[in-house]
Amino acid sequence: MKVWAAIRLTRPWFWPLGWGGAYLGWVLAAGRWVPPAGAVPEAVAAGVVLGPLIWGAVLAVNDLHDLPSDRRNPRKSTAPLVTGVLTAADLVRGYRWGGVAAVGVAVAAGPMFAAGTATVLLLGWLYSAPPARLKARPGADVAVNALVVGVLAPVAGWSLQRPVGEYPAVMALLGLLLAA
C-alpha cells in the first residue's frame, strides 16, 4: 500500500513534461531522433532522473507544505498524505532520498546534467517551502514552472550531447514563453 502511495506521490502523468523537453533538447543537439548505442546509459539515467526521481522529490516537499489546504480540497481527498497512507516523515524522507538519488543518478548523465538536477531540486524547494513559497507569489509560480519545464528540461537534454553554453538563446526564450 505504501509503495503504491509513493508511486502516486511522484505523479507519473507529469513525467512526460520533463522527458519531452529533454528529448527536444537532445534532438536539437544531436541532430538525430535516436541516441547512438554508446549514449543509451546516459539517456536511461536522464529518463530516471527526469521522471520519478525529480518529480518524487519536488512533489514530496510540495505535498508536505500544502497539507492544510489539501485537506480542504476535494480533489486532494485521496492524496497519500491526506489519507494518512504516507506521513509527513515519509515525505521528508522521500524528498531527501529522492533528491540524493536524483543527483547521484544524474552524475551518470554528466556533470552539467547533475548541476541542472540540483538546480531543479532547489527551485522545487523554493517553490513550495516557506519562507520563499514561490507558488504563493503571483507570477513567481508561473515563472518557476516555465523555467523548469520550458528551459531547464530542454537544456538538460542538450547537455547530453553538447556544451550547455551552446544552447540557442532563442530556444530558451521560446521554451520559457511556451511553458508560461
Side-chain angles (χ1 to χ4, degrees), residues 42 45-58 94-124 160:
E42 291 87 359
V48 171
V49 169
L50 294 170
L53 295 180
I54 282 284
W55 285 105
V58 168
Y95 178 75
R96 288 182 183 153
W97 284 104
V100 167
V103 173
V105 173
V107 168
M112 290 307 294
F113 193 92
T117 299
T119 300
V120 169
L121 290 167
L122 174 62
L123 287 170
L160 298 175

Side-chain angles (χ1 to χ4, degrees), residues 7-168:
I7 291 169
R8 283 185 39 232
L9 174 75
T10 70
R11 321 267 210 294
W13 50 93
F14 284 165
W15 302 356
L17 290 173
W19 292 339
Y23 182 67
L24 170 67
W26 185 86
V27 168
L28 288 172
R32 54 189 298 175
W33 294 102
V34 179
V40 170
E42 291 87 359
V44 169
V48 171
V49 169
L50 294 170
L53 295 180
I54 282 284
W55 285 105
V58 168
L59 291 169
V61 75
N62 181 70
D63 286 4
L64 181 65
H65 293 286
D66 281 358
L67 182 59
S69 63
D70 285 354
R71 284 185 172 141
R72 295 185 305 271
N73 184 344
R75 290 183 309 119
K76 296 289 189 151
S77 65
T78 61
L81 185 60
V82 173
T83 62
V85 174
L86 294 178
T87 65
D90 291 330
L91 269 62
V92 169
R93 275 191 302 278
Y95 178 75
R96 288 182 183 153
W97 284 104
V100 167
V103 173
V105 173
V107 168
M112 290 307 294
F113 193 92
T117 299
T119 300
V120 169
L121 290 167
L122 174 62
L123 287 170
W125 180 266
L126 293 172
Y127 181 81
S128 297
R133 197 153 165 81
L134 297 175
K135 72 184 295 178
R137 300 173 189 262
D141 57 340
V142 173
V144 168
N145 284 302
L147 176 64
V148 169
V149 173
V151 179
L152 296 180
V155 169
W158 177 278
S159 77
L160 298 175
Q161 291 294 307
R162 295 180 56 183
V164 170
E166 294 177 9
Y167 189 73

